[in-house]
Every structure is written in C-alpha cells, then in structure tokens.
Amino acid sequence: MSQRRRETKTPHSDALLAWYDRHRRRLPWRLAPGEPADPYRTWLSEIMLQQTTVAAAGPYFEAFVARWPTVEALAEAPLEEVLSEWAGLGYYARARNLHACAQVVATDLGGAFPDDEAGLLKLPGVGPYTAGAIAAIAFNRQAAAVDGNVERVIARVYGIDAPMPHAKAEIRLRTQALVPADRPGDFAQALMDLGATLCTPKRPACALCPWDDACVAHAQGIEESLPVKAAKKDRPLRRGAAFWAERGNGTVLIEKRPPKGLLGGMDGVWLTPLGRDVDPAEARAHAPFKERWHRVAGEVEHVFTHFRLRLTVFTATDVTSFAAPGTRWVARSDLPGVGMPTVMRKAAAHALRALHGPDAEKLVALRRRRART
DNA sequence: CACCCGTGGTC
DNA sequence: TGACCAAGGGT
C-alpha cells in the first residue's frame, strides 16, 4: 500500500478498436466492412479454430464452404464424408459434433442458428467461448468471447496473478465489462488479434500495444509471467503396431475405427489398441488376421494430446483372408481419397515406402498445405 | 474438477 | 530437441 506504483489508465474498447481498424488480420472467414454476417460461416470457422491455429484452419474452411455452402447442405452430407474432409485437422469429435449441430439447425430450427448466447450454448460442440463469439460476431450481441488469447491479454492488463484455471471467472467478468454496445463482434476479434500478434505468450510487443498505458503487468514488468499456469503433465511413451495388408489385386486394408474415442469414426490403418502399451514382440496377436506379417525396419513416432506413440509397422502382401468387420479393401490408387488422420498417414507412408519405394508414399501425402501467413 | 481429445509451428 | 501452445468442448 505504501508501495509506489506507476499510474495505469483504464483500458477502453475505443483504443483497441482504433488499433484493430488499422492492423486487423485478413482471414478467410472475415467479412469486408459492411458485408452482412453469415452465421453459418461464423459458426464453421469458430468450430475449426478451437485449439487450432489460424494457419491450419484456413484451407479446411475454404474446402468446407466450397463443398457445403449452407448449413442445410452440410446437414444432408453423410457423416463419413464430413469426417473425411476433416481428416488431418485433429480433435475429431469436433467434426462429429459439427455434423450433429448442422442437423439440429437445419431440421429442428428451420435452418436458422440461435441468435443469442443461451440458445447457441445448447448446440453440440458449442461451449462458452464459441457461443459468445458467434453471438458477438454474427448477431452483434454484447457478448464476451474468452479464449486463450483473451485470457492472456486480460490477465496482463489487470495484473491478475491467480493461477489458471481459477482465474477464469474473474477474467470473464473483466472481459464482459469491456465489451462495447457498439461493434461487439469487432471487439471480440480485436482482442484475439491483439493476443495473437502483440500480446504474445513470450516477448510481447508492448511498445506497439494500444493498451500499453493501461496494462498493470507492463507497468510492473511482469508481462511474460502472466497468466500463471499450472505445470503440464508429461506425456508417457506408448508402443503399438500398425498392420498394412495388400491383396494381389492392388487393394489395401482400411479400417473404420469405432464411432467415439481417440480418432473415433476415422478411416485408417489397422492398429493395436491405443489405450495401452503393446510390446512389438507381442503385437502380432492383435493383427486383423493370421498372415505372414513382415516387420518393417524403423518406427513411426506421433504425439497425441496425452501420450506419445511409437509404432512398429508390419506388412503382408498377396493376402487372401477376408476383411474383418469394420474393414474394407481399397484400391491403392484410391488412397488419396481416403481421409486418414495424420498418425495413420505416417504409418501408411512407412509401409508403402517399404513395399513400393519412395514414390508410393505420395499416395497418402497430406492433401492440404499450410496456409500462407 | 480432472481428464480426454490431434496436430503443427515456434523458439 | 523438446516444451509450449493454438479462436475449447465433452464427460
């Protein structure tokens, strides 16, 4: 209390919006000034952006709106096609919820998205952040959209040093109090742009920040230490195996995974159970059928959210066994059309390289390139 | 609340 | 190289 502090002003939306008008990012889902909002596109982009970088989501957004321009079109698409189009983007429950949500909107709500936070919050795949973002951006509601960027900006501006996630409630209140009645959608996006481009986790560019004179953390020189987060858990190493089977007619075995859980509903290579560590020497017991399985030299590494996976790859050719339930045979030339998660593509590429040489692995190359920044 | 759920870029 | 983290939601 007797401790002397530098003066800090009050953060105001006007300063942030003025900055946004000059420095906002040009993104595929962002409208030109004056262009009417399309709730479908706003919703689609927000689902894709959950825990996903702008660069990764961009090409997927373009592909989805080109293929399914309306929520009705998306609702009528088979789930398998939606999952295939989503392949590689990760967190596949989002795609399942996306499809379910489209059907709710198209069938139960007459094609119109709810126009307030409470209504949006009831939709599958729409939580507090996404409901606020859609309400503000698509419906001009005075709603807060608190994502990781906003948590960081607000924690710093107000000097909130309570650890996450305990501080979430206070951050939400502070954010809500700042949302202007005018331009709430721009304010939401401005706050996220600020966090993404200036108020970054490390080495924030405070000299360029429209709120530098209002920021408690900056005044105290503790920007980089906020927000306070708990230490992350380490990711244990799990071993497993992938089984790549080919028949003499040029087809390969593809499995559709169970509808929920890790990689739920996705097509790909037959794998040992991912829920536990499987010794490569014991892996053949989990093969889709009894065959002369050949172990491929080398391994495939992949990192999931809560464990690391090291896969040994086994191959069998001229297979005559029947496909097991949940599997089918796909022409090798049709592999580019099979939407496989990245871990599956890695395993498939490893097998194809071993059996057919380095050119063959292009059959399972990632179809989308990263967006230009 | 704690845990589950993908992937790629960055420093 | 590896730890961090990205427009989080479901259970």
Side-chain angles (χ1 to χ4, degrees):
Chain A
M1 11 202 107
S2 61
Q3 174 111 13
R4 185 180 155 83
R5 285 185 184 179
R6 269 183 272 180
E7 296 277 335
T8 51
K9 300 180 182 178
T10 302
H12 197 282
S13 59
D14 289 345
L16 181 62
L17 286 167
W19 171 83
Y20 181 69
D21 289 336
R22 281 183 295 135
H23 300 292
R24 73 194 195 108
R25 292 177 290 174
R26 316 289 297 188
L27 302 174
W29 42 86
R30 273 197 186 157
L31 304 168
E35 192 178 351
D38 179 350
Y40 171 66
R41 294 168 64 100
T42 305
W43 163 73
L44 178 62
S45 66
E46 291 301 339
I47 301 300
M48 287 184 170
L49 287 163
Q50 290 168 1
Q51 292 290 284
T52 303
T53 58
V54 162
Y60 284 84
F61 177 81
E62 304 276 23
F64 267 70
V65 295
R67 184 168 178 179
W68 300 298
T70 65
V71 68
E72 290 86 358
L74 183 59
E76 290 169 5
L79 173 61
E80 287 67 29
E81 293 187 14
V82 176
L83 291 175
S84 179
E85 199 69 41
W86 193 277
L89 196 54
Y91 284 137
Y92 298 99
R94 291 185 297 170
R96 290 181 251 127
N97 286 328
L98 184 85
H99 189 247
C101 183
Q103 295 190 324
V104 168
V105 172
T107 302
D108 300 343
L109 304 179
F113 280 85
D115 66 356
D116 61 12
E117 276 187 278
L120 289 160
L121 205 45
K122 296 176 184 170
L123 298 173
V126 177
Y129 159 76
T130 305
I134 298 172
I137 295 169
F139 297 110
N140 213 38
R141 296 278 187 175
Q142 197 169 354
V146 183
D147 72 333
N149 288 308
V150 175
E151 286 177 352
R152 185 169 58 255
V153 171
I154 298 300
R156 288 173 177 174
V157 167
Y158 288 99
I160 298 170
D161 57 4
M164 300 293 294
H166 180 73
K168 279 177 180 283
E170 180 180 358
I171 289 171
R172 167 160 275 281
L173 289 172
R174 291 291 198 182
T175 307
Q176 182 66 61
L178 288 172
V179 179
D182 186 37
R183 304 182 63 190
D186 284 347
F187 178 80
Q189 295 175 90
L191 211 40
M192 292 188 278
D193 273 20
L194 183 69
T197 63
L198 297 185
C199 195
T200 48
K202 293 176 181 171
R203 301 178 63 85
C206 299
L208 301 177
C209 179
W211 280 350
D212 68 328
D213 58 353
C215 183
V216 171
H218 182 50
Q220 299 181 4
I222 57 171
E223 305 91 279
E224 281 199 51
S225 67
L226 297 182
V228 177
K229 295 193 173 182
K232 294 195 328 180
K233 300 175 59 178
D234 60 338
R235 284 190 263 237
L237 174 65
R238 222 175 265 174
R239 296 167 301 165
F243 295 89
W244 183 261
E246 299 192 354
R247 293 197 297 190
N249 62 0
T251 58
V252 303
L253 184 75
I254 295 295
E255 181 202 14
K256 179 179 293 301
R257 296 183 62 79
K260 293 180 183 298
L262 187 60
L263 309 178
M266 301 302 294
D267 282 338
V269 183
W270 182 284
L271 300 176
T272 54
L274 295 178
R276 62 177 193 269
D277 180 63
V278 177
D279 188 317
E282 318 290 334
R284 284 184 176 82
H286 297 279
F289 32 65
K290 190 163 179 59
E291 274 293 337
R292 298 172 58 85
W293 293 104
H294 300 280
R295 180 173 178 167
V296 178
E299 290 159 325
V300 170
E301 304 260 1
H302 190 74
V303 179
F304 288 105
T305 307
H306 56 291
F307 67 95
R308 294 178 295 136
L309 182 64
R310 177 178 298 160
L311 286 175
T312 300
V313 177
F314 293 88
T315 61
T317 54
D318 295 319
V319 168
T320 55
S321 304
F322 290 104
T327 69
R328 66 184 193 276
W329 296 97
V330 173
R332 225 164 53 221
S333 58
D334 289 340
L335 282 174
V338 178
M340 282 189 273
T342 298
V343 63
M344 304 289 200
R345 294 191 175 276
K346 289 182 183 175
H350 198 64
L352 285 166
R353 192 182 318 128
L355 290 178
H356 305 289
D359 281 349
E361 63 187 275
K362 293 174 184 166
L363 289 171
V364 290
L366 287 172
R367 287 171 297 168
R368 293 186 183 82
R369 299 215 132 266
R370 294 180 291 282
R372 215 23 270 137
T373 51

